[in-house]
């Protein structure tokens, strides 16, 4: 896999840079990081690689393996990765990012909340995403489309290549991002070309609507404007620790479906009919399907049989696997808090594993956002309010019991049925109502007052 030093070693020669970009892409596609990203995409979109590529085989007398084209071959897929990553990202980010300066969020990127949720899900599935601060908004590149060029000495991200291709028959596009600008390339049937010469990240335009605009100057940032967001400190997909269990779940469930399908047919045994050939037996079965009756000789006897497929052990193991996958991911087992009137303590205990995992992921997100805020000239610290199920009545009673020692804003922020975005509007209306009440109060004229 290529590094930042490999890029620097080739200099500024155009032909050498064109060759480097596409050689680096081919090397990256053979790397573990790219393979991990593609597996993450597959398992999060219901194309679990192991079960989808599974082939049933039969073995001949000589031991030769041949495809089994006769028995059922169902391939049922469990989408655990999508469900668990959505659960974690929604729990942590669904209430949006909170900055002390509300106007700073609009300046940074007004759509950052929705972008961050999608980016978090992609990072958890693929191992990493890369946030590009593009003047007044953030664009996210996934690990399946962005080749990072790390510094061999410091490990910092110093450059990168984003690439995409509609199909193998269409041109392969690539953009090389560096600290001093970016260059666009295209590789088609006629070779590699420079689609856009290197230009700065911030362009200064001059002109008007009539004569048109032209670039007169350009500026770059003080650092490389692409910041990685990793799924965890190991920089690997969250699929890796639970993949073997997901594969086991899929194989057992698919095998169960195959057994049910194969056993759904009635099979017949015919006694005292040894002279019947395979063709005769086939005709007998076909006649039973069509007319539901058949004639046999006086000494012959036909009996129908069905098979009861054992299922208890498989169901028990599938249930165990599902709980183990959720537990190993540190996800929330919804069934444990879905029945009855569960107390706030029980709900908090059920959420504890998910909260611990969210703590680790939140630190990475905060570091990621803080670095991006610097490019916008914003000195702030992002916070997140987690979203979880709760016994709202119990929590409301708890908050109101402390109302006499808390200010209005703190009370509103801790009420479980209010969102973070609703609190400022409610505070403003309360202030307006207090002002109106003050204005409507009668004014006492001291001149008319009668002394004692």
């Amino acid at each position: 896999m290529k590094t930042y030093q490999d890029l620097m070693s080739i200099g500024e020669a155009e032909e050498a840079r064109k060759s480097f970009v596409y050689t680096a892409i081919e090397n990256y596609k053979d790397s573990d990081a790219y393979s991990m990203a593609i597996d993450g995409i597959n398992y999060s979109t219901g194309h679990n690689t192991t079960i989808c590529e599974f082939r049933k085989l039969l073995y001949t007398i000589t031991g030769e393996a041949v495809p089994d084209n006769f028995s059922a071959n169902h391939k049922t897929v469990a989408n655990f990765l999508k469900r668990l990553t959505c659960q974690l990202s929604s729990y942590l980010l669904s209430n949006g990012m909170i900055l002390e300066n509300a106007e700073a969020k609009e300046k940074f990127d007004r759509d950052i909340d929705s972008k961050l949720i999608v980016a978090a899900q992609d990072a958890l599935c693929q191992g990493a995403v890369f946030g590009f601060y593009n003047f007044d908004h953030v664009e996210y590149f996934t690990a399946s489309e962005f080749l990072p060029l790390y510094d061999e000495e410091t490990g910092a991200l110093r450059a990168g290549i984003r690439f995409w291709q509609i199909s193998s028959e269409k041109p392969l596009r690539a953009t090389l991002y560096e600290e001093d600008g970016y260059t666009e390339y295209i590789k088609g049937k006629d070779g590699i070309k420079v689609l856009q010469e290197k230009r700065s990240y911030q362009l200064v335009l001059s002109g008007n609507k009539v004569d048109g605009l032209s670039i007169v100057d350009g500026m770059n940032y003080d650092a490389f404007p692409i910041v990685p967001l990793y799924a965890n400190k190991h920089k690997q997909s969250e699929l890796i620790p639970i993949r073997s269990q997901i594969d086991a779940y899929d194989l057992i469930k698919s095998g169960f479906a195959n057994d049910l399908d194969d056993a759904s047919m009635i099979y017949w045994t015919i006694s005292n009919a040894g002279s019947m050939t395979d063709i005769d037996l086939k005709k007998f079965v076909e006649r039973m399907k069509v007319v539901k009756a058949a004639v046999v000789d006086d000494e012959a006897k036909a009996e129908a049989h069905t098979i009861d497929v054992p299922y208890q052990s498989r169901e028990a193991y599938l249930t165990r696997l599902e709980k183990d996958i959720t537990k190993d991911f540190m996800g929330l087992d919804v069934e444990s808090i879905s029945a009855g009137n569960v107390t706030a303590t029980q709900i908090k205990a059920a959420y504890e594993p998910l909260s611990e995992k969210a703590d680790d992921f939140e630190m990475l997100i905060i570091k990621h956002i803080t670095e991006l805020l610097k490019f916008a000239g914003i000195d702030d610290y992002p916070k997140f309010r987690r979203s979880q199920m709760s016994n709202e009545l119990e929590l409301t009673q708890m908050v109101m019991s402390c109302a006499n020692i808390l200010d209005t804003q703190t009370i509103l922020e801790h009420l479980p049925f209010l969102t973070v975005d609703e609190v400022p509007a409610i505070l403003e209306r309360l202030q307006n109502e207090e002002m109106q009440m003050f204005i409507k109060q009668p004014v006492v004229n001291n001149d008319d007052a009668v002394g004692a």
Side-chain angles (χ1 to χ4, degrees):
M1 188 171 171
K2 300 294 184 180
T3 64
Y4 176 73
Q5 277 73 14
D6 293 329
L7 174 61
M8 292 295 98
S9 65
I10 63 174
E12 296 293 332
E14 182 177 290
E15 291 301 321
R17 282 184 158 246
K18 289 193 296 186
S19 176
F20 172 84
V21 167
Y22 286 94
T23 300
I25 292 173
E26 293 303 317
N27 289 344
Y28 180 64
K29 289 183 176 180
D30 293 330
S31 69
D32 293 337
Y34 183 77
S35 177
M36 178 175 64
I38 296 302
D39 286 339
I41 293 175
N42 288 334
Y43 274 76
S44 64
T45 55
H47 296 86
N48 299 6
T49 308
T50 303
I51 189 64
C52 290
E53 295 179 355
F54 179 77
R55 296 178 61 190
K56 298 182 70 174
L57 300 175
L58 293 174
Y59 293 89
T60 63
I61 298 176
T62 59
E64 180 184 0
V66 295
D68 182 2
N69 298 321
F70 304 98
S71 59
N73 190 18
H74 295 282
K75 297 180 179 181
T76 58
V77 173
N79 206 351
F80 284 106
L81 185 64
K82 178 69 174 179
R83 175 170 64 84
L84 293 171
T85 54
C86 284
Q87 183 186 89
L88 176 57
S89 59
S90 297
Y91 171 66
L92 180 59
L93 304 171
S94 61
N95 285 323
M97 181 177 69
I98 305 171
L99 296 178
E100 292 184 4
N101 184 358
E103 296 179 357
K105 188 174 179 179
E106 291 291 323
K107 177 184 176 182
F108 178 60
D109 188 339
R110 65 177 58 187
D111 297 325
I112 187 61
D113 291 335
S114 57
K115 290 179 180 179
L116 196 55
I117 290 178
V118 175
Q121 293 176 6
D122 288 337
L124 292 169
C125 291
Q126 301 184 36
V129 295
F130 302 86
F132 168 41
Y133 186 75
N134 190 3
F135 186 64
D136 62 351
H137 65 282
V138 181
E139 299 176 18
Y140 280 100
F141 308 144
T142 65
S144 62
E145 62 179 350
F146 186 80
L147 187 170
L149 296 174
Y150 294 105
D151 191 308
E152 296 176 6
E153 299 176 359
T154 65
L157 182 64
R158 300 287 301 277
I161 304 170
R162 187 194 180 199
F163 57 93
W164 67 97
Q165 187 177 22
I166 297 176
S167 70
S168 58
E169 300 176 352
K170 300 299 180 181
L172 175 60
R173 292 282 305 275
T175 303
L176 172 62
Y177 294 92
E178 302 175 80
E179 293 175 343
D180 60 344
Y182 63 96
T183 312
E184 297 183 18
Y185 300 90
I186 185 171
K187 180 181 181 182
K189 296 180 180 179
D190 52 351
I192 304 173
K193 296 181 180 179
V194 177
L195 197 61
Q196 174 65 58
E197 298 287 346
K198 182 184 289 188
R199 61 169 54 179
S200 302
Y201 290 105
Q202 302 178 73
L203 303 178
V204 179
L205 304 178
S206 177
N208 52 57
K209 294 183 179 180
V210 177
D211 300 327
L213 299 174
S214 59
I215 301 173
V216 297
D217 197 5
M219 298 178 293
N220 290 309
Y221 299 101
D222 296 334
F224 186 54
I226 297 181
V227 181
L229 169 61
Y230 299 109
N232 46 61
K233 65 179 182 180
H234 304 293
K235 303 179 182 180
Q236 68 177 21
S237 168
E238 289 293 336
L239 169 66
I240 292 179
I242 60 175
R243 178 172 179 171
S244 60
Q245 295 181 84
I246 294 175
D247 291 343
Y249 188 97
D250 289 343
L251 289 171
I252 292 172
K253 193 172 181 179
S254 299
F256 191 19
N258 292 334
D259 290 344
L260 290 174
D261 195 351
D262 290 336
S264 63
M265 297 295 293
I266 297 175
Y267 73 92
W268 295 84
T269 57
I270 305 175
S271 56
N272 298 324
S275 61
M276 293 181 67
T277 64
D278 289 344
I279 295 177
D280 296 329
L281 292 172
K282 182 65 176 177
K283 289 180 178 180
F284 172 84
V285 173
E286 291 297 330
R287 187 169 182 81
M288 293 298 297
K289 289 181 179 179
V290 175
V291 300
K292 308 299 181 183
V295 177
V296 295
D297 295 335
D298 293 338
E299 297 181 356
K301 182 180 179 182
E303 292 181 323
H305 301 273
T306 58
I307 300 176
D308 292 329
V309 179
Y311 65 91
Q312 291 89 347
S313 59
R314 301 191 201 197
E315 283 193 345
Y317 191 51
L318 288 175
T319 301
R320 174 66 180 271
L321 276 175
E322 184 172 1
K323 288 184 177 295
D324 286 349
I325 291 170
T326 302
K327 181 179 179 180
D328 290 346
F329 186 87
M330 300 177 71
L332 171 67
D333 184 3
V334 181
E335 293 184 0
S336 64
I337 56 174
S338 61
N341 185 21
V342 185
T343 65
T345 303
Q346 291 173 307
I347 294 174
K348 184 177 180 180
Y351 268 94
E352 189 60 27
L354 184 61
S355 296
E356 292 175 355
K357 191 176 188 70
D359 289 341
D360 288 342
F361 192 40
E362 184 179 23
M363 289 190 295
L364 297 173
I365 292 178
I366 290 174
K367 180 181 178 181
H368 169 76
I369 292 295
T370 303
E371 291 296 318
L372 288 176
L373 287 172
K374 294 179 181 178
F375 294 106
I378 299 173
D379 184 14
D380 211 326
Y381 188 83
K383 298 179 182 178
F384 302 93
R385 179 180 176 182
R386 299 178 184 181
S387 175
Q388 69 178 55
M389 297 170 58
S390 63
N391 187 323
E392 294 188 352
L393 177 60
E394 185 176 349
L395 291 178
T396 301
Q397 291 172 344
M398 186 184 304
V399 173
M400 298 311 296
S401 66
C402 304
N404 59 333
I405 60 173
L406 298 175
D407 59 274
T408 304
Q409 182 174 347
T410 302
I411 294 173
L412 293 174
E413 288 177 348
H414 284 78
L415 288 176
F417 51 83
L418 294 180
T419 64
V420 176
D421 296 332
E422 290 177 310
V423 172
I426 295 174
L427 284 172
E428 184 177 354
R429 288 196 296 269
L430 287 173
Q431 292 173 358
N432 291 336
E433 290 175 2
E434 291 176 359
M435 183 63 67
Q436 291 295 328
M437 291 177 63
F438 177 77
I439 294 173
K440 291 178 180 180
Q441 286 180 355
V443 178
V444 178
N445 189 343
N446 291 330
D447 295 337
D448 296 335
V450 179

